[in-house]
Amino acid sequence: MVEKPGLRAAAAERTRRAIVAAARRHLVESGYAGFGMERVAEEAGVTRVTIYRRFGSKLGLLEAVADDLAARSRVVPLLADAEAGDAAAAFRAMVSGLCAFWGTDPDLFRRLISLAAVDPEAQELLGSRERWRYGRITAFVERLAAAGRVRAPFDALGAAAVVGAVTSFPACDEMAARLGVGFAELDGPLTALLASVADLDARGGADGGGTDGGGGRARRAERQRTVVHVVKNGDVPWCDPPG
């Protein structure tokens, strides 16, 4: 009996998913140093040869794990959807999207970032993804700048650097732990913090920019108090943005 091409493709995809899932579990449990192809193969019910044939190397398998994480998080469509609305609304939606992204699999993010600190190849793998994140953030910040919403002394480049660092996984992970909240609940504190970089009020002049009277000033004052509280309590660690 000849197996149909569609069935073969489905079986191959199931095998790929089983390998990636086993690799994710093994990486979280053992770290990269103990990340053995033999154990991954055993858990996935395949041979080491199958893994090398599909992914090429240990690093190739790690890249597949990172790609699977991005797919599970839906970060690309989330940030694409965030582009709707005016500059401030889009920026706030982008912050919420990044919070949801980091909350997809925090244990795996911690392992990947720790690995990037000691392994040059892994650093490039994660660095390319961080450069993509910074590129998306820069696009949102440039919209704010065009609407006259970026606050002095920042220009668009400086504001993007601050936003990128504050919304990085290490910063969000530390803040979530200290505030005792989930990643999805960080969008409020992060937006308050970033209001010192840009005017994120929903009301205002053209594209929501400009002054908005006493209510806007009161909201900004309240956000500034939140910023001071967060910084004084050490909830935002120093973070070196990727190059």
Side-chain angles (χ1 to χ4, degrees), residues 78-191:
L78 276 174
L79 295 193
D81 291 345
E83 294 174 1
D86 64 27
F91 183 90
R92 293 192 302 269
M94 180 269 294
V95 172
S96 295
L98 287 176
C99 291
F101 176 41
W102 299 138
T104 303
D105 196 338
D107 289 337
L108 181 55
F109 275 120
R110 293 183 191 106
R111 281 297 193 187
L112 291 173
I113 290 171
S114 297
L115 172 59
V118 298
D119 185 285
E121 289 185 321
Q123 184 180 48
E124 176 54 31
L125 187 154
L126 270 293
S128 65
R129 286 160 171 74
E130 274 292 87
R131 286 190 291 273
W132 175 85
R133 185 177 70 89
Y134 266 77
R136 299 302 303 126
I137 287 171
T138 298
F140 282 95
V141 170
E142 285 175 346
R143 286 186 63 186
L144 291 172
R149 284 178 170 267
V150 172
R151 300 189 190 279
F154 299 103
D155 58 10
L157 184 62
V162 171
V163 174
V166 170
T167 60
S168 68
F169 178 79
C172 291
D173 196 26
E174 178 75 6
M175 188 180 291
R178 289 185 177 273
L179 295 179
V181 300
F183 285 87
E185 299 170 81
L186 286 180
D187 56 344
L190 285 174
T191 300

Side-chain angles (χ1 to χ4, degrees), residues 14-30 34-48 51 61:
R14 285 194 299 271
T15 299
R16 188 196 69 80
R17 289 182 180 179
I19 293 170
V20 170
R24 182 261 169 208
R25 287 193 301 271
H26 190 23
L27 181 62
V28 169
E29 292 171 3
S30 307
F35 187 57
M37 293 297 209
E38 192 67 45
R39 181 177 166 187
V40 171
E42 182 180 348
E43 288 188 16
V46 299
T47 66
R48 290 178 60 190
I51 295 179
L61 180 55

